[in-house]
Amino acid sequence: MAMRRLSASPSPPNSSSSPRGPKRIKRPHSFPADQAVQDSSQTIIMTCPKLSDAAKIRFAGGIQTVPDIEHDLDQLRDRRLQARENSFFIPPQAKPTLQSSDDTLFPLMETTLEFLSGSGQVLLLLGDSGGGKSTFSLELEHTLWMAYKRGGPIPLYINLPAIDEPSQDLIAKQLRHHSFLEEQIQDLMLYRQFIAICDGYDESQLKTNLHSTNQFNQPGQWMVKVVVSCRSQYLGSDYRSRFQPQSSNHYVRAAPERMLEAVIAPFSRELIELYVEQYVKNPPAHQNVQNRPVWTYEEYMEKLTKVPKLMELVSNPFLLALSLKVLPDIIDSKKDLSALRITRVQLYDGFVKHWLDVNKVRLESSTLSDSERRAFDSILDDSFLRRGVQFQKDLAAAIFKEQAGNPV
């Protein structure tokens, strides 16, 4: 049973709690017996080995506080669910290891949810660049928030590259990012369980074991199950030690049986067809630029199957998404499709042009200041597309130089 917290500083006699703040119950000073009970309770609390020093200090006063954590968790849940309102998701398949054959495939979402409901602590999610790791991580968070019940495990999506030194105090840093108070963070650490969905281990250039350095599931620390994604090419041959959970037994360093590995497989023909079907039903996904006609499912599948090796290329989910956006611009319907050759570079170039066209239309219909309108008109006169492409090249070169070739 969770103990209620005591505040070190009493509130004014007529103060009332805000919807966000803690509820305060003032103890009458005219009951010696009640004071004796309080003194006895504080003696027990101050000797409790589970509580941190900061927590014990808050128990030292005579006011009982119950931070309204669930209210803020409900708000966080609403924000995170709203962020994926217009997205669609095709459940991917995965295999147990990088060396496993394709006949070992399993449904990734179902297996992940089953793993999280058991005694496992770390799920390592591997895959190629653009293979769908981030999309899956966000959909997993969405699924867990949809199923969330008050008092249950709290899903927390963490973009690792956005966290300063994620090897220490990871959960608290993400909660601060979501504007939780320090007192709430202390309560959450002591009494609640989390599912930390850590995306982009490779993009953070990490080499450490996040489970060990953050002391997850150790006495008095955060109770956490971890899902961590990483690009397959980033890891060497002996990578499992970077992710295996730390055992609570001081005589045993790691607990490999509490770790599951999953490697996202490329999209099959069936999943590609399902993705295209969902794409054409989702208007925000295929914005109509310069009155370009929107292709039907049959038109997309004809191009994907008849252009040589294009189906193999779009088995990568990111390249599939790019292809559906830019193929209407790249392919003339009168061309002989069997003679076409489409490369990754063409898809990337087509996407850049598509992105610039979309934003050109957006700026033309936006309310701009006089100086902004003059600048925009001068870019239009000098070719919006050419200037946009050149700016992106210059920016990419500057970032590469600033980062000394390392990822941002």
Side-chain angles (χ1 to χ4, degrees):
M1 179 182 295
M3 291 180 287
R4 294 182 179 269
R5 317 297 297 279
L6 301 180
S7 169
S9 55
S11 59
N14 296 324
S15 66
S16 60
S17 61
S18 67
R20 175 184 177 81
K23 302 172 184 177
R24 302 184 180 274
I25 304 171
K26 181 112 179 185
R27 287 183 179 272
H29 294 291
S30 56
F31 295 98
D34 184 63
Q35 184 66 47
V37 170
Q38 177 178 314
D39 293 342
S40 175
S41 299
Q42 290 179 9
T43 300
I44 296 172
I45 289 165
M46 298 303 286
T47 58
C48 177
K50 181 175 175 63
L51 297 182
S52 64
D53 291 339
K56 291 175 182 177
I57 289 172
R58 288 198 300 278
F59 273 113
I63 304 293
Q64 190 177 49
T65 68
V66 183
D68 195 3
I69 293 175
E70 287 296 345
H71 171 77
D72 287 358
L73 287 174
D74 286 342
Q75 290 189 325
L76 174 60
R77 176 182 182 271
D78 291 344
R79 291 196 303 270
R80 298 304 297 167
L81 290 178
Q82 187 176 14
R84 286 190 64 76
E85 252 182 7
N86 295 321
S87 61
F88 61 92
F89 174 72
I90 305 301
Q93 299 283 302
K95 57 184 183 179
T97 68
L98 291 168
Q99 296 75 30
S100 300
S101 61
D102 289 342
D103 60 3
T104 60
L105 294 179
F106 55 84
L108 180 57
M109 182 62 77
E110 294 175 20
T111 302
T112 300
L113 295 175
E114 183 180 350
F115 175 81
L116 293 174
S117 66
S119 60
Q121 293 187 12
V122 176
L123 189 149
L124 172 60
L125 181 63
L126 299 176
D128 293 336
S129 179
K133 300 181 297 297
S134 294
T135 301
F136 176 82
S137 297
L138 288 167
E139 186 64 22
L140 174 62
E141 181 208 23
H142 181 270
T143 301
L144 293 171
W145 273 126
M146 287 293 292
Y148 175 76
K149 291 182 173 54
R150 287 196 167 199
I154 301 166
L156 200 63
Y157 175 83
I158 303 174
N159 180 24
L160 289 175
I163 300 292
D164 183 33
E165 297 184 11
S167 58
Q168 302 290 333
D169 209 22
L170 177 60
I171 304 299
K173 287 174 181 175
Q174 186 64 29
L175 290 172
R176 292 185 191 108
H177 170 73
H178 290 305
S179 302
F180 282 83
L181 305 175
E182 291 301 317
E183 185 178 36
Q184 292 176 313
I185 293 173
Q186 279 288 329
D187 271 19
L188 289 167
M189 183 183 74
L190 289 171
Y191 306 128
R192 299 298 295 273
Q193 294 181 333
F194 282 79
I195 298 174
I197 306 167
C198 303
D199 191 24
Y201 183 91
D202 53 299
E203 295 173 27
S204 296
Q205 298 289 292
L206 289 169
K207 302 290 185 183
T208 57
N209 186 320
L210 293 175
H211 191 279
S212 298
T213 58
N214 281 280
Q215 297 184 310
F216 290 151
N217 304 318
Q218 298 301 304
Q221 300 297 325
W222 294 94
M223 302 302 293
V224 184
K225 291 178 183 286
V226 178
V227 177
V228 57
S229 73
C230 182
R231 186 165 45 91
S232 305
Q233 295 85 345
Y234 179 72
L235 303 174
S237 56
D238 186 21
Y239 59 85
R240 290 182 64 86
S241 60
R242 295 195 207 175
F243 303 100
Q244 286 177 348
Q246 182 181 4
S247 173
S248 57
N249 185 341
H250 295 294
Y251 298 100
V252 181
R253 287 190 173 183
E257 73 282 356
R258 296 195 174 183
M259 173 180 163
L260 177 67
E261 187 175 338
V263 183
I264 296 184
F267 269 3
S268 63
R269 167 70 181 256
E270 181 183 359
L271 292 183
I272 291 173
E273 292 175 350
L274 186 57
Y275 188 98
V276 175
E277 183 181 349
Q278 293 298 316
Y279 180 84
V280 298
K281 292 178 180 178
N282 187 24
H286 47 84
Q287 290 175 285
N288 195 350
V289 180
Q290 295 181 344
N291 298 318
R292 185 190 73 193
V294 177
W295 282 4
T296 64
Y297 167 82
E298 290 76 18
E299 287 175 310
Y300 272 116
M301 289 309 303
E302 179 193 15
K303 274 66 173 183
L304 290 174
T305 54
K306 289 187 176 180
V307 175
K309 297 187 176 180
L310 187 54
M311 282 292 281
E312 180 182 342
L313 194 63
V314 300
S315 63
N316 178 288
F318 178 71
L319 292 178
L320 175 58
L322 284 189
S323 297
L324 300 187
K325 287 183 180 296
V326 305
L327 280 178
D329 293 325
I330 295 177
I331 296 179
D332 185 336
S333 59
K334 298 178 182 179
K335 286 183 178 179
D336 178 11
L337 297 179
S338 63
L340 279 178
R341 295 293 183 272
I342 295 179
T343 65
R344 285 178 180 240
V345 174
Q346 284 178 288
L347 292 178
Y348 288 133
D349 287 347
F351 176 73
V352 169
K353 180 180 180 301
H354 173 82
W355 183 82
L356 288 170
D357 284 341
V358 169
N359 282 278
K360 176 185 173 183
V361 172
R362 180 181 62 82
L363 288 169
E364 285 175 335
S365 60
S366 298
T367 302
L368 304 176
S369 66
D370 291 341
S371 60
E372 289 172 336
R373 177 58 64 181
R374 286 193 298 270
F376 180 58
D377 289 341
S378 69
I379 295 174
L380 288 178
D381 293 340
D382 191 34
S383 172
F384 186 87
L385 177 61
R386 188 187 67 79
R387 290 281 293 272
V389 170
Q390 188 58 50
F391 172 79
Q392 291 180 72
K393 287 180 177 179
D394 293 343
L395 177 62
I399 292 174
F400 184 86
K401 181 178 179 181
E402 179 69 22
Q403 294 293 118
N406 295 317
V408 178

